[in-house]
Amino acid sequence: MHSFGYRANALLTFAVTILAFICAIASFSDNFSNQTPSAQIQILSSLVILNINWFQKQPHGNDEVFAFVAAEYETSKNSLNQVSLWDAIIPEKEEANFWIQISNKYRFIDQGHNLRGKDFNLTLHWHVMPKTGKMFADKIVMSGYRLPNANMEVKARAPGKIILAGEHAVVHGSTAVAAAIDLYTYVTLRLPLHSDENNDRLTLQLKDLSLEFTWSVSRLKEGIAYDSSNRQRSSSPLGSLPSSGYTPASLGEKIIHGKPSGIDNTVSAYGNIIKFCSGEITRLKSNMPLRMLITNTKVGRNTKALVSGVSERAVRHPEAMNSVFNAVDSISKEVAAIIQTKDDISVTEKEESVKELMEMNQGLLESMGVSHSSIDTVIQTTLKHKLTSKLTGAGGTVVEKVVEELESSGFQCFTASIGGKGAEICF
Ligand SMILES: C[C@@](O)(CCO)CC(=O)[O-]
């Protein structure tokens, strides 16, 4: 008679043997599974186009494909170094045949000093992970990539802007109309490839002005993080620039204006002609030709002081200043409506109306205490030529005469088209 322990041992051994036998058969059956997955990948500048055209999901299994793209390179110490740039899990057959356009998910960082001027491969790996059985792995290697030998450069440009109506009052909630102009500021950013070269300093050299500023990168990052978390609008309202470009611009505005309305950085970042009121932006589609003569009176100004001067006047005379702000609001709304109108009104009539509204706006700016005697000179000069109404639209010799006279008074003139592109970045 066998003891209980002896019987239990025999049963366990039998169960384990059967289990091992089933596993061996399952594993052997992998040899009959004919897997021929294929994939394509194309790298277009910062875009990856990926097309995995194979997926095999068992009726009740949960196979999935894990795909990742890595930059791979060789060093004297290791024959294979990988920097993962992108990955994804493809859970369903229906999702396995796809085209995607992405920028890298993970940052391409040189951990040592290995990548400058070196060749590397971009490799797409994919792993098919069945519920049971052998994991299948394959890859496509794309060779011929090289990181630059010198520091990386990023170029950006942002347009200047003009406010057609509503400056200053916009800070107090009135509507304003502004446009990007085709005069740009260009910036080239050089990023050191080696981390030890990045000594936490960002240096800005304004070569035209012979000025140089330096900031601590970590302090700037803190400022940007703070501003992003406090900003109500998180995405680009006009769709031309990532919101990350908007944030530093709005930080700069705070430095220059103290309490900015946000109109300057918005129009410079996103371009076009916009109607702006308390952070709400409406893009205007102009139905009239708009070219502007811009005169630089060369009178230095302190925007912060002017903006706070208007606020102080509003505290001293709240009712009167409210009426001024309301009048500016109506003027801006009317300017916006004229610019957009498709009615059968001649361009001259539209220009006459815009001219009149601008004159009224100028008067209100004077009542806010922000005008200057040099602006009166500009107005008198243009009025003398009875050309004020033409300055928005007309070009040619008549404008040249006005420019000549204004420049002889020591001013600097520019003609500009308005409503163009916003800030652009080129890697
Ligand atoms: C004076 C102001 O209205 C415009 C300056 O370009 C200030 C602001 O809106 O932030």
Side-chain angles (χ1 to χ4, degrees), residues 245-265:
Y246 177 94
T247 306
S250 92
L251 271 178
E253 276 288 284
K254 281 186 186 155
I255 296 167
I256 306 284
H257 292 183
K259 186 197 164 204
S261 63
I263 190 168
D264 287 4
N265 48 295

Side-chain angles (χ1 to χ4, degrees), residues 31-47:
N31 296 319
F32 302 106
S33 149
N34 192 15
Q35 297 173 342
T36 52
S38 70
Q40 301 164 9
I41 183 167
Q42 233 178 306
I43 312 292
L44 302 172
S45 169
S46 58
L47 295 179

